[in-house]
Amino acid sequence: MTHRLVIAGIGEVLWDVYPDAARFGGAPANFACHAAALGAEAWMASAVGVDDLGDRALGTLEGAGVECGSVARDRAHDTGQVLVALDSSGQASYKFADDSAWDHLEWSGALESLAKRCDAVCYGTLGQRSPISRATIQRFVSATPQQALRMFDVNLRQHFFDRRTIDTSLRIASAVKLNEEELPKVAEICEIDASTPRDMLKQLVERYDLRLAALTCGAEGALLIAGDEESTCPAVPAKVVDTVGAGDAFTATLVPDFLRGLPLAEINRHANAVASFVCSLPGAVMKLPDYLVQWV
């Protein structure tokens, strides 16, 4: 019996409010749901309001098999919301509500004990837009064991990031995942001078001493770098319904596969297959078919 990996997402829990419905979201929350679907002991560390959307968020997380003992209920602030507009190709644009419950994620004993148990944690920039949550997230990541995979899934959103947050997040990380739009921005912020995406990614790995780096390129697939190894893998063709959550599913596949020591090319194939499946259905979180769960 292999050890069941303890994997946490920390940061925003929110609802993507579409013209026709509200859908559960937040990158680290989507990540935690997919990690649970793939068999991990998945935890969410966040805060939601004492409101209907907060109740529904906890119900969604628990329904997906995610442990919610580290999701605080905040009486003073509403559960996070984002207004989503989709263009004709299914690409989303977002408007974030200010001062949500997840902006007030306080450090606690529960977070400390969870951090010490983690085999991996995933965090981004959006969850760090307020000083309170930023301090908590950075403290949580730093409190995970030295061998834990600390995955910085950059997730740049609007103006909710700055040079210092990105630099600090990379310093405490052991892995990074970016998409093709984020990589040049992060390279510029970090004053990395490279002409190709591959060279930018390699320089990030070297500067921040990362064990793993992933660049996702939508329909073009992904590039993974780990040590001296590299893997490029085309995307699995899919009829795209919406792209929300596909990157989070990719990351949630990448992390446990890497911790289990699978070959990089196999990890890349699996992560692309899961991301492609998520693109083919509406919403960010869904049950994964057995062939994706039992990939290995």
Side-chain angles (χ1 to χ4, degrees):
M1 171 81 183
T2 53
H3 160 66
R4 192 170 174 220
L5 295 169
V6 177
I7 297 179
I10 185 166
E12 67 274 15
V13 168
L14 46 80
W15 288 87
D16 291 324
V17 182
Y18 289 79
D20 60 341
R23 293 201 194 118
F24 178 79
N30 294 339
F31 168 87
C33 291
H34 289 300
L38 289 162
E41 180 188 322
W43 286 76
M44 187 64 211
S46 188
V48 296
V50 182
D51 51 22
D52 177 55
L53 287 178
D55 294 343
R56 287 168 61 191
L58 289 173
T60 302
L61 286 162
E62 286 163 355
V66 176
E67 301 285 346
C68 294
S70 297
V71 180
R73 300 300 299 261
D74 183 339
R75 294 191 172 279
H77 303 94
D78 294 340
T79 300
Q81 292 188 48
V82 188
L83 297 175
V84 183
L86 294 177
D87 69 14
S88 57
S89 68
Q91 293 294 326
S93 61
Y94 308 87
K95 183 179 186 310
F96 290 82
D98 297 326
D99 202 31
S100 301
W102 55 265
D103 289 309
H104 297 269
L105 178 56
E106 303 266 3
W107 185 250
S108 66
L111 287 184
E112 185 164 22
S113 56
L114 173 59
K116 286 186 162 63
R117 292 184 57 228
C118 279
D119 294 298
V121 57
C122 183
Y123 59 104
T125 51
L126 179 59
Q128 300 185 65
R129 72 177 182 178
S130 80
I132 298 168
S133 291
R134 181 161 58 245
T136 301
I137 288 170
Q138 292 178 5
R139 186 170 177 181
F140 185 95
V141 173
S142 300
T144 59
Q146 198 53 50
Q147 71 275 17
L149 194 65
R150 299 167 172 183
M151 171 58 77
F152 177 36
D153 187 351
V154 177
N155 247 319
L156 300 182
R157 291 284 181 260
Q158 294 170 4
H159 55 280
F160 300 122
F161 60 92
D162 57 33
R163 179 182 300 268
R164 188 172 174 191
T165 299
I166 286 175
D167 180 63
T168 306
S169 296
L170 283 163
R171 285 179 193 281
I172 60 176
S174 58
V176 69
K177 180 242 168 201
L178 318 94
N179 66 28
E180 58 198 330
E181 290 164 10
E182 292 162 344
L183 178 59
K185 291 178 187 167
V186 170
E188 185 183 348
I189 285 167
C190 296
E191 297 176 353
I192 282 172
D193 185 22
S195 56
T196 68
R198 178 181 167 275
D199 288 345
M200 288 178 199
L201 201 61
K202 279 190 83 71
Q203 285 194 39
L204 272 181
V205 168
E206 284 159 19
R207 177 170 309 176
Y208 292 100
D209 193 24
L210 302 172
R211 293 164 61 191
L212 173 65
L215 173 64
T216 58
C217 306
E220 300 299 306
L223 165 65
L224 302 184
I225 296 176
D228 298 330
E229 265 195 285
E230 285 182 34
S231 164
T232 52
C233 178
V236 177
K239 185 167 170 28
V240 175
V241 173
D242 87 46
T243 58
V244 177
D248 308 322
F250 185 96
T251 312
T253 311
L254 187 65
V255 166
D257 282 4
F258 182 77
L259 286 170
R260 293 195 176 102
L262 292 185
L264 211 55
E266 191 62 28
I267 296 171
N268 208 348
R269 277 199 294 275
H270 188 199
N272 269 288
V274 173
S276 177
F277 178 81
V278 171
C279 281
S280 72
L281 293 172
V285 172
M286 68 279 298
K287 187 174 176 359
L288 296 175
D290 287 349
Y291 78 92
L292 288 176
V293 176
Q294 295 151 5
W295 184 265
V296 189

